[in-house]
């Protein structure tokens, strides 16, 4: 990559790390950036996944206070995320590249729709706070498993999906659940990254730039992300995601 492209990818990593900490849609920034610079879709997805792992970890660290008392929950759902992420990563590598390129525009547009619906999902979650089941039962575990499969395969708006599940099945403080979301996303991205390192082609320059940027962005997002105008964030994500879908459809 040229110097300007490297700066752009690193900046996209910062934005993605911050968004993942607060919203969970960072892939809709970094993935289209790599596509715009001519990366093949599967290579872009693999390199992007690896790059975002440090960012999700730094976001989880930024929410460490909210994770107190959630060990049992994280272990329970962490197993589902681990298995789901592994299945999703293997599906990405086993299915034909054409299948990924065909399905990803629909996944991106679906993720954009989820980002638009996030305010409604958040209101629903807040209205349900204050007691109830702590683990969501079997339906929640299965939902986390399915989200892990999606996250290992592609992952855009994985965090939004998790928060939607939390809003449906679990009654707890919103920030505590956001902290749990960051941990589960870290597990999914981490196990997928291990698979990709072992058996897939990776552009290590792109992955490294995204990793550096997303680490900074995750810490900043965990600390200051709540102060950003939500409407502006969602609009930007939807515009970028829609553009990415168009790029893939016309290729």
């Amino acid at each position: 990559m040229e110097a300007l492209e490297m700066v752009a990818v690193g900046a996209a990593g910062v934005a993605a790390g911050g968004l993942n900490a607060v919203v969970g849609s960072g892939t809709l920034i970094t993935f289209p950036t790599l596509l715009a610079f001519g990366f093949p879709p599967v290579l872009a997805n693999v390199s992007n996944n690896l790059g975002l792992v440090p960012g999700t970890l730094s976001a989880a660290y930024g929410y460490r206070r909210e994770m107190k008392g959630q060990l049992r929950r994280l272990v329970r759902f962490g197993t589902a995320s681990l298995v789901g992420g592994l299945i999703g990563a293997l599906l990405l590598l086993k299915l034909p590249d054409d299948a990924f390129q065909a399905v990803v525009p629909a996944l991106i547009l679906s993720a954009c729709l989820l980002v638009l619906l996030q305010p409604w999902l958040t209101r629903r979650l807040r209205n349900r706070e204050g007691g109830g089941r702590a683990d969501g039962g079997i339906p929640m575990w299965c939902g986390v498993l399915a989200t892990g499969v999606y996250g290992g395969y592609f992952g855009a708006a994985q965090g939004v999906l998790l928060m939607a599940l939390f809003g449906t099945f679990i009654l707890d403080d919103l920030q505590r659940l956001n902290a749990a979301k960051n941990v589960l996303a870290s597990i999914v991205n981490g196990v997928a990254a291990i698979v990709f390192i072992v058996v897939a082609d990776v552009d290590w320059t792109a992955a490294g730039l995204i990793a550096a940027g997303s680490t900074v962005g995750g810490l900043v997002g965990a600390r200051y992300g709540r102060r950003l105008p939500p409407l502006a964030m969602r609009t930007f994500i939807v515009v970028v995601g829609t553009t990415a879908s168009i790029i893939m459809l016309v290729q």
Side-chain angles (χ1 to χ4, degrees):
M1 288 187 291
E2 297 180 357
L4 185 59
E5 294 176 345
M6 294 174 68
V7 171
V9 171
V14 174
L19 288 170
N20 279 340
V22 182
V23 181
S25 311
T27 292
L28 291 179
I29 305 298
T30 44
F31 182 72
T33 300
L34 295 179
L35 290 182
F37 292 138
F39 280 69
V42 174
L43 178 62
N45 188 45
V46 168
S47 304
N48 176 67
N49 179 283
L50 264 68
L52 289 180
V53 171
T56 55
L57 290 172
S58 66
Y61 176 78
Y63 277 90
R64 61 193 179 279
R65 287 180 297 180
E66 287 83 359
M67 283 191 283
K68 291 181 179 178
Q70 296 200 73
L71 179 60
R72 182 176 179 181
R73 174 183 291 166
L74 294 175
V75 170
R76 172 180 169 80
F77 295 140
T79 58
S81 293
L82 181 69
V83 174
L86 178 61
I87 293 172
L90 293 175
L91 285 175
L92 176 66
L93 299 177
K94 293 296 183 182
L95 294 177
D97 291 357
D98 290 345
F100 178 80
Q101 189 157 354
V103 74
V104 162
L107 293 177
I108 293 176
L109 292 175
S110 299
C112 290
L113 178 61
L114 283 172
V115 171
L116 288 175
L117 292 176
Q118 193 195 17
W120 177 82
L121 297 171
T122 300
R123 286 194 298 270
R124 176 183 172 87
L125 179 54
R126 283 174 175 160
N127 291 336
R128 288 170 56 88
E129 288 176 3
R133 295 200 66 168
D135 62 2
I138 294 176
M140 179 65 191
W141 194 93
C142 292
V144 173
L145 175 67
T147 303
V149 174
Y150 170 76
Y153 186 77
F154 182 50
Q158 175 188 183
V160 178
L161 285 171
L162 286 170
M163 292 304 288
L165 286 170
F166 286 148
T168 302
F169 294 107
I170 295 181
L171 307 178
D172 201 347
D173 176 74
L174 181 64
Q175 296 304 329
R176 280 170 52 82
L177 293 177
N178 197 45
K181 175 264 291 181
N182 286 333
V183 174
L184 298 181
S186 298
I187 293 172
V188 171
N189 289 351
V191 69
I194 292 172
V195 173
F196 296 152
I197 289 172
V198 174
V199 298
D201 293 327
V202 179
D203 188 301
W204 289 104
T205 300
L209 291 168
I210 293 173
S214 67
T215 300
V216 174
L219 292 171
V220 172
R223 186 168 185 178
Y224 300 110
R226 302 180 188 91
R227 303 178 186 178
L228 298 176
L231 179 59
M233 290 174 56
R234 285 192 296 273
T235 301
F236 180 64
I237 291 169
V238 170
V239 170
V240 172
T242 303
T243 302
S245 297
I246 294 172
I247 290 173
M248 294 194 69
L249 287 172
V250 300
Q251 282 182 338

